[in-house]
Amino acid sequence: MAEPAPRILIIEDEAPIRRFLRIVLEGAKYTVDEAARGRLGVEMAATGAPDAILLDLGLPDIDGKQVIADVRQWTQTPILILSVRNDERETIAALDAGADDYLTKPFATGEMLARLRVLLRRHAPGTAEPSLIRLGPLTLDLATRQVQRDDVAIALTRKEFDVLALLLRNPGRLLTHRDLLQTIWGPAHVDDAHYLRIVIARLREKLGDSAADPRLIFNEPGIGYRAASE
């Protein structure tokens, strides 16, 4: 028997955008639910068990960040923000509230579907984290804390390994500076972005990844970093 199509909940107040998203998603073989208000979206997230949520921040009843906070009280269902708000503070606030990724309108539908696929893969039921993580020429062994590029061992410091592992465990997901600093360095260092910049620069040098033409680690200026999704 074929697996049921993933169910996507759209929380968006503008009807033309909802129709557009429905067409795109159903064309990609997803099942679609819609909510035009934030509170209704929270209720549908609780009762409809969606596999992922596409969320606009500018809702008429409650702000999208409140929707994220409410949903995160009981589920880690992936949330992809689709918003006209392009201020980096808004992006950081939404990600820190618990969103998994953020796209600014207008966006390419191909990119939206690709990011959605990444989120669905990462949150697939029963998915166990492997000991070995591979990304392009890289192989990272979480058990032995070893890294290889094209089968050649690369010596990393503890912090360099921890940052790389966190990025590779979340492929395609934008992790804010605060996410990375709090997880790797602890709550007392959430404002010490220079620590992170130094580690990322050293990682790129050791991994042969150029900041000008990245293939493995991508920078979102002022916001954070993401690892390539494939």
Side-chain angles (χ1 to χ4, degrees), residues 9-85:
L9 172 60
I10 302 168
I11 307 177
E12 164 67 62
D13 64 313
E14 295 190 31
I17 297 178
R18 290 201 309 276
R19 285 196 296 271
F20 168 73
L21 290 172
R22 175 178 284 276
I23 291 170
V24 171
L25 291 168
E26 288 182 342
K29 309 304 182 185
Y30 294 113
T31 300
V32 179
D33 295 320
E34 299 179 21
R37 297 289 186 273
R39 291 188 179 89
L40 175 60
V42 172
E43 292 175 9
M44 292 179 69
T47 59
D51 295 292
I53 298 170
L54 303 184
L55 173 64
D56 180 31
L57 293 180
L59 300 168
D61 54 346
I62 58 174
D63 189 80
K65 292 189 292 296
Q66 184 60 52
V67 173
I68 299 169
D70 290 346
V71 169
R72 283 291 174 258
Q73 290 182 26
W74 77 86
T75 181
Q76 292 302 310
T77 297
I79 299 174
L80 173 57
I81 301 297
L82 306 176
S83 178
V84 296
R85 301 179 186 176

Side-chain angles (χ1 to χ4, degrees), residues 86-134:
N86 59 5
D87 185 286
E88 70 179 46
R89 291 171 297 180
E90 285 284 350
T91 305
I92 292 168
L95 293 167
D96 282 342
D100 293 271
D101 206 349
Y102 194 110
L103 271 176
T104 302
K105 298 174 183 175
F107 50 83
T109 56
E111 181 178 8
M112 181 200 73
L113 290 172
R115 294 198 187 191
L116 182 58
R117 288 193 297 270
V118 169
L119 295 180
L120 289 169
R121 284 199 301 269
R122 194 170 71 240
H123 289 80
T127 299
E129 182 176 60
S131 173
L132 290 179
I133 302 176
R134 293 183 173 86

